[in-house]
Amino acid sequence: MTLSLWLDEPSPARPALRGDVRGPVAILGAGLTGVATAYWLAAQGVAAVVLEAAVVGAGATGRNGGFLLEGTSPDFADLAARYGRQAARDLWAFTVENRERLLEVCAREGLACGLERGGSVALAASPAEAAALEHNAQLLAEDGYPSRWLDRTAVRTLLNGARAADAFVGGLLNPRDLGIHPVRLTRGLAAVAERGGARIYEGTPAQALAAEGAAWTITTPAGTVRAEAVVLALNAYTVLVDATWHRLVRPIRGQMLATAPVPERLFTHLWYAHGGVDYWRQLADGRVVLGGLRRLAADEEVGTDDRLHPRIQQALDRYLRDLGVPPVPVTHRWSGILGLSPDRLPLIGPVPDRPGLFVAGGYSGQGLAFAFLAGRMLAELITTGTTAYPRLLYPARVVCRR
């Protein structure tokens, strides 16, 4: 497997499941969604059993850029056009609450999440893209969300006159967006959930999932779990457990790298371009994290295999130089698998016609904007049967159209 910067830290190993266990809720996947669900269930006195094929945070949680952003993969104007202005407001508000509750829990539980403030800049590479970003800024401002348009000169200044800046005509600054260390967050949250009674088994892939009356049975290599409710918190890997999700959560591979610390401060914001496909940031210790350029081999970068793409990695090296990053060593190269839903909105909630089965995935590159609060939403649905969070996120909107 490739090793991301975030995962390259020691962590206590958890045992694999041996034998048969029972629990009120079984959660497949110990990324941020699965761990957050276990955390919120523990807060309500429900001790979940969590099964993870590798280690906590090993999937998309530990392989992204660590961008904690407001908003969805479809932009605000797109949401309003498709679902109405109020639905767009509700979805945007979900991502704001996701950030705020995450910050509250990090403070309350003393979690070292590597939070870095500074905001994000969405770059426009054409006048048409600039017009779309400015239109979104206007709509967001009307609904009370702060943002500020940066012209070409401002972008060039913030990028220190780097050659890459010549490709952009402006950018939209969201001052509230944050950078985080996604694995420290998830591992810290996992420890809190375990203190609340959750049991997390690593090295335990789910091999089969079957309904037996009012209960579910999950088969693993060395044991089984029986539970009244099951959460598929696998995102792009959902298809490995249940093939029916193949067209609902499409696995897409992305490429990333991280450098050794750069002595000077080059970037004070989170940066992304081409609709979020390319992105970079500089960490507090000076390292530059860069990902993207999937368009160079879009047909090849599909599936759940964790592998490097040499041509894209070489292009990322050139991009570093275009961004003005001095010739420091690249210390980490890795791939990450994101789950793309048909409409690029997450699928969070009960699975139609399968009582007791819940899912969270299809984040479409915006997992950190949804995953923490998705855990709370799922915990509410499991324990009370209802939630105040948007029903538009329920998988029924796409499952029922298959």
Side-chain angles (χ1 to χ4, degrees):
M1 291 181 64
T2 62
L3 180 64
S4 78
L5 173 66
W6 316 119
L7 288 163
D8 194 10
E9 294 184 349
S11 177
R14 294 174 172 85
L17 176 66
R18 297 285 184 269
D20 302 331
V21 300
R22 291 177 177 266
V25 181
I27 300 170
L28 307 189
L32 182 54
T33 300
V35 167
T37 305
Y39 168 83
W40 289 112
L41 285 170
Q44 298 181 52
V46 178
V49 177
V50 184
L51 305 181
E52 167 56 47
V55 297
V56 169
T61 291
R63 296 173 174 277
N64 57 69
F67 285 32
L68 183 58
L69 307 177
E70 289 183 8
T72 65
S73 182
D75 63 30
F76 191 83
D78 188 0
L79 290 178
R82 277 199 263 167
Y83 305 110
R85 188 69 173 265
Q86 187 57 53
R89 294 188 189 104
D90 292 343
L91 290 170
W92 223 262
F94 188 100
T95 66
V96 173
E97 183 180 345
N98 176 82
R99 180 193 64 224
E100 294 307 308
R101 286 194 182 273
L102 190 154
L103 293 176
E104 289 171 5
V105 169
C106 284
R108 182 170 66 247
E109 305 291 354
L111 304 183
C113 303
L115 291 169
E116 296 180 11
R117 302 180 185 273
S120 71
V121 179
L123 291 163
S126 69
E129 195 174 0
L133 283 173
E134 290 190 272
H135 178 51
N136 274 278
Q138 177 186 346
L139 296 179
L140 288 166
E142 292 171 1
D143 287 332
Y145 296 107
S147 60
R148 180 163 59 92
W149 179 253
L150 306 174
D151 62 19
R152 183 193 296 269
T153 300
V155 166
R156 186 169 181 79
T157 298
L158 288 173
L159 290 176
N160 305 301
R163 184 165 55 245
D166 295 338
F168 305 112
V169 299
L172 187 63
L173 170 66
N174 184 330
R176 301 197 297 190
D177 287 340
L178 305 169
I180 66 169
H181 191 303
V183 172
R184 289 179 189 168
L185 165 66
T186 304
R187 287 175 175 171
L189 198 63
V192 177
E194 287 173 317
R195 291 197 293 271
R199 289 171 285 172
I200 302 176
Y201 297 97
E202 295 181 329
T204 307
Q207 296 176 313
L209 172 66
E212 298 182 359
W216 290 85
T217 298
I218 302 105
T219 304
T220 76
T224 63
V225 179
R226 285 182 60 82
E228 298 169 17
V230 173
V231 176
L232 302 177
L234 298 165
N235 198 18
Y237 300 95
T238 308
V239 67
L240 300 182
V241 174
D242 186 342
T244 62
W245 290 91
H246 178 71
R247 295 184 180 179
L248 300 176
V249 184
R250 184 172 177 240
I252 301 295
R253 185 168 41 253
Q255 300 288 321
M256 292 194 67
L257 59 75
T259 72
V262 176
E264 63 267 37
R265 190 67 175 172
L266 299 174
F267 313 114
T268 56
H269 303 296
L270 311 173
W271 294 87
Y272 56 103
H274 300 105
V277 176
D278 304 338
Y279 48 93
W280 64 93
R281 59 184 286 208
Q282 187 172 17
L283 307 183
D285 66 1
R287 294 177 181 270
V288 174
V289 176
L290 170 67
L293 301 181
R294 183 179 174 275
R295 59 188 172 276
L296 300 180
D299 292 340
E300 302 168 44
E301 288 289 85
V302 296
T304 58
D305 292 340
D306 171 27
R307 61 172 182 248
L308 297 179
H309 194 293
R311 187 165 75 254
I312 296 178
Q313 286 288 334
Q314 290 168 10
L316 288 173
D317 288 340
R318 293 192 295 271
Y319 206 176
L320 280 176
R321 305 289 87 82
D322 289 344
L323 287 170
V325 177
V328 296
V330 171
T331 59
H332 297 77
R333 298 182 188 272
W334 69 94
S335 74
I337 313 299
L338 64 89
L340 190 68
S341 75
D343 59 3
R344 294 183 295 127
L345 283 178
L347 309 173
I348 307 169
V351 178
D353 303 321
R354 303 184 76 180
L357 185 63
F358 301 82
V359 69
Y363 291 123
S364 303
Q366 283 286 79
L368 292 179
F370 283 90
F372 185 68
L373 197 60
R376 188 173 195 264
M377 179 177 173
L378 291 169
E380 287 183 354
L381 286 166
I382 291 167
T383 57
T384 71
T386 188
T387 181
Y389 293 116
R391 291 179 66 90
L392 180 57
L393 293 172
Y394 282 17
R397 75 176 191 275
V398 294
V399 172
C400 294
R401 294 199 312 236
R402 283 189 294 171

